[in-house]
Amino acid sequence: KIIFREIPVPQPGPDQVLVKIKKIGICGSDIHVCHGTHPYTAYPVTQGHEVSAEIVGLGEYVKDLSVGCQISATGLSSYDFTWKDTEHFPRIRVRNRADILCTAAADAAVVAGKSLSLKGNIALNLYLELPDTVLEDEGAYVTINDETFPISEAKTSEADGKTLYVFSVQIKFAQLTEDRLLRVYSGEGELVKLLDSEGTDLTETGYVCRAQDYIEYIRANSEDEGLLKVVNALSDVGSLSQLQFNYNVDARVEVVGDLDSVTAETIKAYANVMEVKDGNGISYYGSSLLLQDVTTIRHYFKLSGVSISQFTFTVDGEKVTPVKKGSYYYIEITGIVAKDLDKSFHVEASTKSAGVVVTMDYSALSYAYKQLSEGSDANLLNLMRALFLYSKAANEYFGEDLD
């Protein structure tokens, strides 16, 4: 017969966790137990073995779980359950942690995953499962290194029936192997309990990851050849940028692309096309490609006997403002994303009296072509080769018509 009664709560053994049942399923084997026909059941017994529960006690040998962790136990095969009536309370001996699904404790944030955005500017996205206590705290925030993100402004993403909160940080090429440290704070500036997806407590240390970690994950797990080309080329650009700019060089990863396959002849279609009309007091001085921050093209001009106010500069028909630097002026084309590295931007300079006096069509790969044609810096040449391979892989994978 079935008896309902209050029972004392035991202490977990050294390799056990004590759990408080939240929900429990009825399995077919429970019916057999009730009927007295289950071959492995001895009486008295407390029925139920498909449970979701909260850990409320830890044995002294259990180091990688924490009180408050929500668990789901999927069966008897991986656990020893003590159901005897003399003990009166279910206990789970941890044998296979892969079968324990640990989610957010009532007061804890959980790092649910990460990804990279590659279509536009490179961004590392971190996904958090957040408890109600944090969501209801209007001043709560997340920090990633020295950047602060109000939780109330976070974007959300749905996964497996859960709402995840997304926090994104822009990544420069040379920063792919740089550590990013995430912490969660209350509105009062107190650390919020933080767990990783395995239930490890990261409250004090914070959650540390790198964009390169996700690249390595894709390399190890993806069979998508197009995506693998993109991340391999991106990794190469990152590694060679670190070398070129002497940034975090000790953390560089190995270059895997076939750089020798890229020559000036390979990319001659991207050569700069330019015309400057004489006698108008303006001359073209040169161009540079900035990769240390957001990918940017700069065009430099020199004036003789005229004022910069006499000229109007446009890029693809949009007016831009020249900036003075020493005895020169430059205009910028900034925020160039992977799929636009090969895009030719049409530049014009004009005056009211003479009309258009400078025209040029120039892409980031125009700079690469010039370096491969005339340059001698071996590190820079390899970086330009990797940049071309990255542009090619991105266009093939994402499509040239994406915004």
Side-chain angles (χ1 to χ4, degrees):
K1 63 181 180 179
I2 297 177
I3 298 174
F4 295 90
R5 61 179 176 175
E6 292 187 8
I7 56 177
V9 178
Q11 295 300 310
D15 61 348
Q16 295 178 321
V17 295
L18 182 67
V19 300
K20 181 179 180 180
I21 303 299
K22 294 296 187 69
K23 293 185 182 296
I24 191 162
I26 298 176
C27 177
S29 59
D30 289 317
I31 305 301
H32 296 307
V33 170
C34 184
H35 292 162
T37 58
H38 196 285
Y40 305 119
T41 302
Y43 296 91
V45 63
T46 302
Q47 285 190 251
H49 59 271
E50 295 179 352
V51 300
S52 63
E54 177 183 351
I55 294 178
V56 295
L58 300 173
E60 61 181 310
Y61 299 146
V62 180
K63 303 299 182 184
D64 55 353
L65 292 172
S66 58
V67 171
C69 186
Q70 308 291 310
I71 69 147
S72 173
T74 60
L76 289 171
S77 61
S78 298
Y79 312 102
D80 275 350
F81 280 74
T82 303
W83 298 112
K84 292 185 179 180
D85 197 51
T86 54
E87 305 238 314
H88 304 305
F89 204 93
R91 293 184 293 176
I92 304 175
R93 178 175 291 113
V94 180
R95 287 190 174 180
N96 181 0
R97 292 200 71 264
D99 287 339
I100 294 181
L101 308 176
C102 189
T103 60
D107 61 345
V110 175
V111 181
K114 57 182 177 288
S115 69
L116 277 181
S117 296
L118 298 173
K119 289 182 182 179
N121 291 322
I122 305 165
L124 176 63
N125 310 303
L126 300 176
Y127 300 81
L128 297 184
E129 186 181 350
L130 296 173
D132 290 341
T133 52
V134 171
L135 296 175
E136 293 168 0
D137 183 347
E138 293 183 0
Y141 60 95
V142 165
T143 62
I144 302 177
N145 287 13
D146 57 355
E147 295 188 58
T148 299
F149 305 86
I151 288 174
S152 60
E153 299 176 9
K155 294 181 179 180
T156 59
S157 176
E158 299 296 321
D160 298 327
K162 297 178 182 179
T163 299
L164 303 180
Y165 293 80
V166 188
F167 301 90
S168 302
V169 59
Q170 297 296 310
I171 302 292
K172 304 170 188 176
F173 287 127
Q175 293 178 328
L176 292 177
T177 60
E178 182 178 297
D179 287 344
R180 298 287 165 170
L181 174 64
L182 178 144
R183 285 193 169 99
V184 183
Y185 292 88
S186 71
E188 300 298 321
E190 299 293 330
L191 281 171
V192 172
K193 185 173 183 180
L194 181 65
L195 308 175
D196 68 10
S197 59
E198 296 296 322
T200 305
D201 194 327
L202 304 174
T203 309
E204 296 300 326
T205 61
Y207 174 73
V208 180
C209 68
R210 308 176 306 160
Q212 189 71 36
D213 295 340
Y214 193 72
I215 290 176
E216 299 304 331
Y217 172 82
I218 293 175
R219 284 173 167 173
N221 294 279
S222 179
E223 296 181 357
D224 187 327
E225 291 297 327
L227 179 59
L228 287 170
K229 287 181 180 179
V230 172
V231 298
N232 285 336
L234 173 59
S235 179
D236 287 351
V237 173
S239 180
L240 292 165
S241 293
Q242 288 171 262
L243 188 62
Q244 178 66 23
F245 306 125
N246 195 29
Y247 184 87
N248 201 19
V249 175
D250 291 341
R252 288 181 62 231
V253 296
E254 181 181 357
V255 173
V256 299
D258 183 11
L259 303 184
D260 291 339
S261 67
V262 183
T263 65
E265 183 67 20
T266 307
I267 60 173
K268 67 179 182 180
Y270 301 104
N272 180 22
V273 177
M274 180 178 59
E275 179 182 0
V276 180
K277 294 182 179 180
D278 295 332
N280 291 285
I282 186 170
S283 59
Y284 170 70
Y285 184 70
S287 298
S288 62
L289 181 65
L290 310 181
L291 298 174
Q292 288 173 284
D293 203 333
V294 178
T295 303
T296 299
I297 296 170
R298 277 187 184 173
H299 296 306
Y300 296 85
F301 300 91
K302 191 170 184 178
L303 303 182
S304 176
V306 293
S307 170
I308 193 66
S309 63
Q310 296 175 238
F311 295 88
T312 298
F313 292 86
T314 61
V315 176
D316 289 343
E318 297 292 328
K319 186 176 179 179
V320 295
T321 301
V323 178
K324 184 174 175 58
K325 183 176 184 180
S327 59
Y328 304 95
Y329 290 87
Y330 68 81
I331 62 170
E332 283 190 340
I333 304 166
T334 192
I336 303 171
V337 299
K339 70 178 185 64
D340 288 337
L341 290 169
D342 65 345
K343 178 182 176 181
S344 181
F345 296 92
H346 183 70
V347 176
E348 291 185 355
S350 60
T351 68
K352 289 183 178 179
S353 58
V356 177
V357 295
V358 176
T359 60
M360 61 188 306
D361 292 283
Y362 196 100
S363 70
L365 295 184
S366 300
Y367 181 84
Y369 171 75
K370 182 174 178 61
Q371 292 302 317
L372 290 175
S373 299
E374 304 173 9
S376 59
D377 183 329
N379 291 336
L380 180 58
L381 296 181
N382 280 334
L383 176 55
M384 293 300 100
R385 294 180 178 110
L387 194 69
F388 168 72
L389 294 176
Y390 178 47
S391 169
K392 181 180 179 182
N395 274 317
E396 289 176 352
Y397 187 72
F398 296 119
E400 297 184 11
D401 58 341
L402 289 174
D403 292 329

